[in-house]
Amino acid sequence: MSRDCPVSSADAVVLDAVTRSYGDVTAVGPVDLTVPSGEFLVLVGASGCGKSTLLRLIAGFEQPTRGTVRAAGVAPVPGRGAGLVFQQPRLFPWKTVGGNIALALRYAGQPATPARVDELLAQVGLDDVAHRRTWQISGGQQQRVAIARALAVDNPLLLLDEPFAALDALTRERLQADLRRVSAASGRTCVFVTHSVDEAVYLGSRVVVLTPRPGRIALDLPIGLPRTGVSDDELRGSPEFAALRAEVGQAIRERVTS
Ligand SMILES: Nc1ncnc2c1ncn2[C@@H]1O[C@H](COP(=O)(O)OP(=O)(O)OP(=O)(O)O)[C@@H](O)[C@H]1O
Ligand SMILES: [Mg+2]
């Protein structure tokens, strides 16, 4: 996107000629990327290509070396405006499950009633765990709590960095299905990082493949798969799903081996 192109208020994230370097090493860029509100964008690429760096730039934890980052039209402020989910749940072990959610609500200045906490946990398929300690629930359940915590704060943007990478295949598929449902229902904009081509095509309304470092956009692919009215088995087994998976996989392999 050129600098004189007007930024639509419907754009949740706009990266304009963004580069991030660490000393002599350019980690990402230049990257131009516009994420419209409500989109589920998946960033996929080889290890070390700069996916987490891009998320940190969008979250405001890092500043670009060159170019500009805008979230909801302004420079992002760390801890404001975006919910974050990481590969590890990063829950507070001295608090109960419900206590972790309540803390996020209070931090955001929202009422932290037990009913609201239960409602958020139910959204991610967790019942009757609010009173438990975080170390008394499974890794998959902990990651669900982390997603509930990110949803607790009423901000329009969710940034997720390989949130399911540490989970077994079955738990991972269940959480993907729940996230797909919850994100579609919430209307939030999501930027999701993964190594998994399958996960990218299943979750994304758009998939962006990055080149190896410095990460640049190698492929920007809309995913026109239906988001409602079709079962997961039908979706994953469809020829359209297979074709998209092949296209994304090929773009990654071409870049890694070229
Ligand atoms: N704080 C830092 N200081 C120096 N180099 C860094 C720093 N953070 C990231 N890098 C480098 O920038 C590049 C991109 O890192 P980044 O963590 O964004 O990659 P990634 O795509 O998320 O990788 P992975 O898939 O392994 O998580 C890497 O080569 C990394 O070593
Ligand atoms: Mg990373």
Side-chain angles (χ1 to χ4, degrees):
M1 183 190 206
S2 73
R3 271 164 214 285
D4 51 7
C5 179
V7 174
S8 158
S9 60
D11 293 331
V13 177
V14 179
L15 306 188
D16 186 2
V18 166
T19 298
R20 172 66 193 176
S21 302
Y22 300 101
D24 294 342
V25 176
T26 302
V28 279
V31 167
D32 290 313
L33 181 69
T34 298
V35 188
S37 288
E39 187 160 76
F40 198 121
L41 177 83
V42 180
L43 292 174
V44 52
S47 184
C49 75
K51 303 179 296 295
S52 298
T53 303
L54 272 178
L55 271 200
R56 288 198 299 270
L57 287 163
I58 295 169
F61 291 133
E62 290 195 30
Q63 299 303 314
T65 309
R66 281 186 294 280
T68 54
V69 179
R70 291 284 177 270
V74 297
V77 179
R80 299 263 165 234
L84 299 161
V85 185
F86 304 95
Q87 187 170 345
Q88 301 301 332
R90 300 192 188 184
L91 304 175
F92 297 120
W94 58 89
K95 293 222 163 259
T96 61
V97 167
N100 271 272
I101 306 285
L103 191 66
L105 285 166
R106 278 196 289 272
Y107 179 71
Q110 293 175 23
T113 60
R116 177 70 182 134
V117 168
D118 284 344
E119 183 187 30
L120 283 159
L121 289 170
Q123 262 190 51
V124 292
L126 288 176
D127 295 311
D128 296 329
V129 295
H131 62 285
R132 307 265 285 273
R133 293 281 156 183
T134 57
W135 35 266
Q136 291 175 323
I137 60 175
S138 72
Q141 288 175 318
Q142 289 179 24
Q143 202 53 290
R144 286 175 190 272
V145 177
I147 293 170
R149 180 175 59 181
L151 291 170
V153 183
D154 191 18
N155 50 43
L157 183 61
L158 263 187
L159 304 175
L160 306 104
D161 195 352
E162 300 195 54
F164 306 147
L167 305 176
D168 68 273
L170 188 60
T171 308
R172 187 169 183 158
E173 278 200 10
R174 286 199 187 130
L175 263 78
Q176 287 169 355
D178 284 343
L179 179 63
R180 203 171 195 271
R181 177 180 48 75
V182 167
S183 63
S186 74
R188 292 180 206 225
T189 310
C190 295
V191 183
F192 185 104
V193 164
T194 183
H195 286 114
S196 162
V197 174
D198 197 80
E199 184 165 86
V201 170
Y202 175 75
L203 285 174
S205 57
R206 175 180 170 200
V207 172
V208 165
V209 176
L210 296 175
T211 63
R213 200 186 74 205
R216 294 179 186 162
I217 295 176
L219 177 72
D220 190 338
L221 186 69
I223 304 290
L225 295 170
R227 301 194 74 75
T228 51
V230 54
S231 76
D232 268 7
D233 284 344
E234 282 172 324
L235 188 76
R236 289 184 188 274
S238 67
E240 293 83 2
F241 191 91
L244 289 163
R245 203 173 39 196
E247 190 172 355
V248 172
Q250 191 186 5
I252 295 172
R253 280 190 299 277
E254 261 173 20
R255 292 297 174 156
V256 170
T257 52
S258 63

